Amino acid sequence: MNRQDAQSRALADLDPDATAAVLALAGDIALVVDESGIVRGVETATDDTSFEGVAGWVGQRLTNLVTAETRGKAEALIREALASGTARRRQLNHPNDSGVDVPVQYTAVRMGASRRVAIIGRDMRALASLQQKLVEAQQAMERDYWRMRHIETRYRLLFQMASEPILVLDSATLKVLEANTAAGHLFADSPHRLTGRTFPFRVEPRSRRALEEVLSNARATGRGGEARIRLEAEADEFTVSASCFRQDASTLLLVRFAPTSAGRSSGRSVVSTPPVSELVEQAPDGFVVTDLDGQILYANRAFLDIAQLTSEEQARGQLLGDWVGRPGADLPVFLTMLRKHGVVRLAQTAARGTHGAATEVEVSAVWIPDGELPCIGFQIRDVGRRLAAGPQGALDLTRAVEQLTGLVGRVSLRELVRDTVDLVERHFIEAALELTGDNRTSAAEVLGVSRQSLYVKLRRHHMLPASAAPGVEEPE
């Protein structure tokens, strides 16, 4: 008999309670279970209340003493120990009356030929508490990080949008650390190329002494007052002010240039306003301004190309629906969406030219109903080239239904159903007329309606001249 067999037999001769008491010294809790998983002995290493009610575990199945999600691991722990003699560590959670589960990391060893398993556990609550504190600290750091990122974003946005030129300097070397867009305009260079240069530069020699005195006072007292200076090749004077602030371990200077009252009165502006009207006129997308009824007040060159018009006068005073959207269908939908939400975004429809050219377009719109001149602005983008090829009628119907679907929750169900029925009815009438070569009598037969009913529907959908009488069929 070798030494290992002798030790196994010695352990096997111990009763379960004694075995559990010995093994508990190696951990916080020890269990002895039989091959069927029933607890035969239990012992804790301390007398505290860390494991309340463990005496009642004897005689119960181990899987009934752990939470549902760790029962599989308990079975695997016993099965592995019986098969190989030892089992790798697994964490089991025990339910507690307080509502907080008790995590315990267990390992198991088979006890000789008795087919019993000794399970030694270590209480993981202290480690779990540390892990929870670590997670909370990390989350707090994440929140602080994103808060600082948001603050930095707001600062940079305000810094770049400021109309007055601003420079941030290192107080020791007077090198430019940051410059906003207005400073780039003032010094006739891009802001990133100003970074790293030693200030002052492009300042008239007669103004350098006053500027240096302002910077010196700012370093010494925090605020340096103001001074009037002139820049090279600049006719206007500027009022320069400087203030000192700390960032990390560095001292920085914030230098601001403000035009004097004379410069302001002369109409000089550091950042000029771009010619918006010229940009709109030359834009590649159509732009149309209408009144609240859809009558055109202004149209740019791109829209005139879409509508196949030679001058703006041909479009002015006409309805936008004469060229954009299906007659009597799309423009009322756009106006309804504007009244409900104030904006239309990327609505897909069709545009027709005066000479018959047709293309698919995306329409976005916004309105100003309460201004001096109430109006609606439409942006019309030609997207015919990028649309996938397919049956035109089905494509139009699908897009129209998708647009109406986007109104769910904004328009009443009755209006949605009415508009959808009108769109579908118009689509099938167009398909029947196309199938029969525009023969209305044959189209009525195909649709299963009388000729008079078809005339009524054609007139309702603006597909028939108002002069046509229902009882007199026009020449086919």
Side-chain angles (χ1 to χ4, degrees):
M1 180 183 302
N2 56 29
R3 182 177 180 182
Q4 183 176 1
D5 292 339
Q7 290 175 344
S8 298
R9 176 170 295 182
L11 287 173
D13 293 338
L14 293 174
D15 64 273
D17 292 335
T19 303
V22 172
L23 295 175
L25 298 176
D28 297 315
I29 186 173
L31 309 174
V32 176
V33 301
D34 58 21
E35 57 184 346
S36 60
I38 297 176
V39 178
R40 298 302 180 184
V42 60
E43 188 71 32
T44 59
T46 60
D47 295 332
D48 59 18
T49 58
S50 299
F51 297 94
E52 295 181 354
V54 293
W57 290 8
V58 177
Q60 298 190 50
R61 193 174 297 275
L62 179 60
T63 54
N64 296 334
L65 301 173
V66 298
T67 58
E69 63 272 11
T70 59
R71 287 172 184 169
K73 293 195 289 184
E75 294 174 351
L77 185 73
I78 299 172
R79 185 170 58 251
E80 185 177 339
L82 290 173
S84 61
T86 58
R88 62 184 180 86
R89 296 181 181 275
R90 289 178 173 85
Q91 180 174 313
L92 306 180
N93 296 329
H94 297 282
N96 195 296
D97 294 338
S98 64
V100 180
D101 296 339
V102 179
V104 181
Q105 188 178 68
Y106 286 105
T107 187
V109 61
R110 188 182 61 212
M111 298 175 58
S114 65
R115 301 294 293 174
R116 291 187 175 184
V117 176
I119 303 176
I120 304 98
R122 184 171 295 277
D123 191 352
M124 302 297 293
R125 279 177 290 185
L127 180 59
S129 176
L130 290 176
Q131 290 175 338
Q132 181 64 29
K133 291 180 180 179
L134 178 62
V135 170
E136 292 175 353
Q138 185 175 3
Q139 291 176 343
M141 291 177 62
E142 288 282 343
R143 288 192 297 270
D144 290 342
Y145 168 76
W146 285 111
R147 183 173 60 84
M148 295 301 297
R149 285 292 300 271
H150 294 157
I151 292 174
E152 181 182 3
T153 300
R154 290 194 291 270
Y155 152 73
R156 291 193 175 279
L157 182 61
L158 292 173
F159 182 71
Q160 294 299 333
M161 290 183 64
S163 60
E164 294 183 348
I166 300 175
L167 298 178
V168 178
L169 312 177
D170 184 288
S171 65
T173 62
L174 295 184
K175 286 188 176 181
V176 178
L177 301 180
E178 289 189 70
N180 67 348
T181 304
H185 286 285
L186 178 63
F187 294 104
D189 210 341
S190 60
H192 73 273
R193 294 186 62 179
L194 294 176
T195 303
R197 295 178 60 180
T198 302
F199 190 76
F201 44 80
R202 290 201 61 202
V203 177
E204 282 190 350
R206 290 177 298 178
S207 301
R208 281 181 174 267
R209 182 175 182 83
L211 177 60
E212 291 173 355
E213 184 177 350
V214 169
L215 299 178
S216 178
N217 291 337
R219 285 196 297 263
T221 63
R223 298 192 63 85
E226 296 181 348
R228 287 192 175 187
I229 67 169
R230 289 184 182 271
L231 300 181
E232 295 176 355
E234 291 285 345
D236 295 335
E237 282 189 340
F238 291 86
T239 300
V240 178
S241 60
S243 57
C244 183
F245 66 97
R246 297 280 298 176
Q247 180 176 309
D248 296 332
S250 303
T251 302
L252 307 180
L253 295 174
L254 184 71
V255 182
R256 183 172 64 91
F257 298 81
T260 61
S261 58
R264 292 191 184 98
S265 62
S266 64
R268 187 184 187 280
S269 176
V270 176
V271 182
S272 59
T273 302
V276 177
S277 59
E278 294 181 16
L279 294 175
V280 171
E281 180 63 29
Q282 299 179 19
D285 296 334
F287 186 80
V288 180
V289 179
T290 72
D291 61 17
L292 299 186
D293 295 324
Q295 291 187 341
I296 295 176
L297 304 176
Y298 165 81
N300 71 344
R301 172 52 54 186
F303 173 77
L304 298 180
D305 293 339
I306 294 174
Q308 295 183 307
L309 301 175
T310 56
S311 68
E312 184 185 351
E313 294 298 329
Q314 293 177 283
R316 190 171 296 166
Q318 304 298 317
L319 285 175
L320 179 62
D322 293 343
W323 293 282
V324 177
R326 283 162 286 275
D330 286 350
L331 187 58
V333 172
F334 296 157
L335 296 178
T336 300
M337 293 178 67
L338 286 171
R339 292 189 185 98
K340 293 284 186 180
H341 309 288
V343 68
V344 175
R345 291 186 177 90
L346 301 179
Q348 294 183 346
T349 184
R352 303 169 305 282
T354 302
H355 302 298
T359 184
E360 293 297 318
V361 295
E362 283 181 350
V363 178
S364 297
V366 67
W367 75 338
I368 305 175
D370 303 322
E372 295 183 3
L373 178 63
C375 59
I376 305 173
F378 290 89
Q379 181 180 354
I380 303 165
R381 174 170 295 176
D382 185 349
V383 296
R385 294 182 179 180
R386 77 183 187 201
L387 291 177
Q392 185 62 37
L395 189 63
D396 291 344
L397 180 61
T398 300
R399 287 178 182 154
V401 173
E402 287 178 353
Q403 292 173 14
L404 290 173
T405 302
L407 297 177
V408 173
R410 307 174 184 175
V411 180
S412 68
L413 178 61
R414 178 176 298 178
E415 294 179 24
L416 287 174
V417 171
R418 185 188 65 237
D419 293 343
T420 304
V421 170
D422 289 345
L423 286 171
V424 174
E425 187 176 66
R426 179 185 177 88
H427 169 75
F428 287 126
I429 291 174
E430 290 176 344
L433 290 172
E434 183 178 357
L435 181 65
T436 60
D438 207 26
N439 188 308
R440 299 189 184 96
T441 302
S442 300
E445 294 176 356
V446 169
L447 294 171
V449 298
S450 66
R451 188 160 51 91
Q452 289 78 5
S453 296
L454 178 60
Y455 270 88
V456 172
K457 296 180 184 297
L458 289 172
R459 182 172 291 107
R460 182 158 59 87
H461 294 300
H462 306 282
M463 300 171 67
L464 187 69
S467 59
V472 180
E473 185 173 355
E474 293 184 345
E476 301 291 352

